Amino acid sequence: MTKHTKGEVVLQVTNVALTYDRPILRDINFCIKNIVRPGLSQGQVVTLIGRSGIGKTQLFKILSGLQSPTAGQVTIHNNKPVKAGDMGVIFQNYYLFEWRTVYQSLLLAAKKNKALFGMEKQTIEQYAEQFHLTGHLQLYPKQLSGGQRQRVSIMQQLLKGSDFILLDEPFSGLDVCMLDKAVELLLQVSLSDELKTLIIVSHDIETSVAISDTVFILGNEPDKAGATIKKEIDLIERDLAWQKDIKQEKRFLETISEIKNEL
Ligand SMILES: Nc1ncnc2c1ncn2[C@@H]1O[C@H](COP(=O)(O)OP(=O)(O)OP(=O)(O)O)[C@@H](O)[C@H]1O
Ligand SMILES: [Mg+2]
C-alpha cells in the first residue's frame, strides 16, 4: 500500500435526510479526511456512484450548501456548517453566464481567487490552451458546443480556487482525447493543494474510480424508503489509488464489478 496517513476531517456529513413528497435520502453519514503523503501535497478525490434517479444530484446540492436537508447537517473544516459559495460546483447542465464572453466569465472567476492576484490573464490563457479553448475566449456560451461549454464550466471552478470542487457528470460529452485531458487536469488540481477535495458523480465508473482514492455507493436497502450510503470502498487500502494505467489491472476490474453489483 502507498505510504500515507489520514489526518483531520475536511468534510463531515451527519444524519442527512431529504424528503419531498417521499423520502429521497436518509441516514447519510460519512466523512472525508485529509490524506497526507510524505513529500507530496496530496488532495482527496472521492467518487459518488449510484443509479440514475437515486439522489446523487440532490446530495450534491446538500453537500455544496445550495440546498438544506430535511434533517442532519454538512460541515467543513473545523465543524463549520457549509454554506452556498463555499464549494465550486460544476452542474450536470453546465450553467454559464449567457451574456458574458467566455473570457469575461473566466476573469470573474479568477478574480475571486486571491492566490491568482496579478496572474489572472496568464492563468486563463494557460488553462485555455490545455483545454483547447484558446480560439473561443471571445465567444458567447451560445456559440459553443456542449463539450466546449463543459470545459469552460470546469475551468471556471478551477480558477475560483475553492478547496472543494463538486463535479456532476464531468466526463459526459467529452471525446476520448478530451477525456484524457480532463482526467489529467483533475489529477493536477488534486495535487495542487493538500486540502483540495474533489467529489465526482459520474456514470463513467471506470474513469472516475481510476482517479479516486475513495468510492461511496449510494443505493437503496431492502424495506427502507430513501437512498443511503450502502458501501464505502477505500481504494488506497486496495492499492488501487494514485496509479497510472490502473484501468487494465485485474484487481481494478474486480473492484469495478463489485461496484456494479451493488447498484
Ligand atoms: N423538487 C423536487 N421535488 C420532488 N422530487 C424531486 C425534486 N427534485 C428531484 N426529485 C426526485 O429526487 C430523486 C433524485 O433525483 P437526482 O436528480 O438527485 O437523481 P440522480 O441520482 O442525480 O440521477 P441522474 O444520474 O439521472 O442524474 C428523483 O427521483 C427525482 O424525481
Ligand atoms: Mg444527477
Side-chain angles (χ1 to χ4, degrees), residues 100-107 121 123-129 132-141 143-144 152 155 159:
R100 290 198 180 105
T101 64
V102 169
Y103 183 77
Q104 286 166 341
S105 279
L106 294 175
L107 189 61
K121 189 167 180 276
T123 311
I124 291 170
E125 282 166 2
Q126 189 189 327
Y127 275 5
E129 203 174 312
H132 298 214
L133 286 168
T134 304
H136 298 80
L137 290 176
Q138 301 310 328
L139 298 182
Y140 287 89
Q143 298 170 297
L144 302 177
V152 172
M155 274 172 69
L159 287 164

Side-chain angles (χ1 to χ4, degrees), residues 55-262:
K56 300 181 300 294
T57 298
Q58 297 302 313
L59 182 55
F60 241 64
K61 289 188 180 163
I62 294 171
L63 292 179
S64 62
L66 293 172
Q67 168 159 341
S68 303
T70 313
Q73 65 167 354
V74 178
T75 54
I76 53 174
H77 307 322
N78 304 322
N79 289 328
K80 196 166 62 92
V82 73
K83 57 177 190 342
D86 281 340
M87 297 191 179
V89 185
I90 299 167
F91 284 110
Q92 233 167 341
N93 51 6
Y94 323 124
Y95 176 80
L96 296 173
F97 298 116
E98 300 296 333
W99 63 93
R100 290 198 180 105
T101 64
V102 169
Y103 183 77
Q104 286 166 341
S105 279
L106 294 175
L107 189 61
L108 204 70
K111 287 205 160 148
K112 290 190 179 150
N113 185 350
K114 292 192 183 75
L116 291 183
F117 185 74
M119 299 186 308
E120 295 91 347
K121 189 167 180 276
Q122 97 192 50
T123 311
I124 291 170
E125 282 166 2
Q126 189 189 327
Y127 275 5
E129 203 174 312
Q130 279 175 306
F131 273 76
H132 298 214
L133 286 168
T134 304
H136 298 80
L137 290 176
Q138 301 310 328
L139 298 182
Y140 287 89
K142 67 171 186 314
Q143 298 170 297
L144 302 177
S145 76
Q148 289 163 347
R149 288 179 74 96
Q150 180 188 37
R151 268 133 60 203
V152 172
S153 177
I154 294 178
M155 274 172 69
Q156 212 176 357
Q157 299 308 323
L158 296 182
L159 287 164
K160 273 193 204 163
S162 334
D163 280 345
F164 294 89
I165 300 185
L166 270 56
L167 303 110
D168 203 348
E169 294 296 342
F171 310 121
S172 62
L174 296 180
D175 62 32
V176 182
C177 172
M178 275 302 147
L179 181 70
D180 284 348
K181 289 240 180 280
V183 164
E184 205 180 290
L185 208 101
L186 291 180
L187 286 176
Q188 211 175 310
V189 171
S190 82
L191 287 169
S192 67
D193 189 303
E194 181 152 334
L195 290 178
K196 200 63 100 179
T197 301
L198 306 185
I199 304 177
I200 301 172
V201 166
S202 175
H203 289 117
D204 185 342
I205 301 179
E206 281 85 355
T207 302
S208 51
V209 172
I211 64 170
S212 297
D213 52 73
T214 311
V215 173
F216 292 105
I217 300 176
L218 190 65
N220 289 311
E221 285 172 346
D223 304 323
K224 289 188 178 165
T228 196
I229 302 291
K230 274 172 75 180
K231 196 169 194 175
E232 174 176 349
I233 300 178
D234 185 331
L235 297 167
I236 311 173
E237 260 172 30
R238 296 188 182 196
D239 215 6
L240 293 173
W242 311 318
Q243 296 186 40
K244 270 196 150 204
D245 308 321
I246 192 75
K247 274 181 161 179
Q248 323 303 334
E249 303 270 336
K250 185 164 169 275
R251 55 207 173 81
F252 176 81
L253 296 170
E254 282 165 0
T255 293
I256 296 295
S257 301
E258 179 186 335
I259 293 170
K260 287 184 176 166
N261 283 335
E262 292 282 344

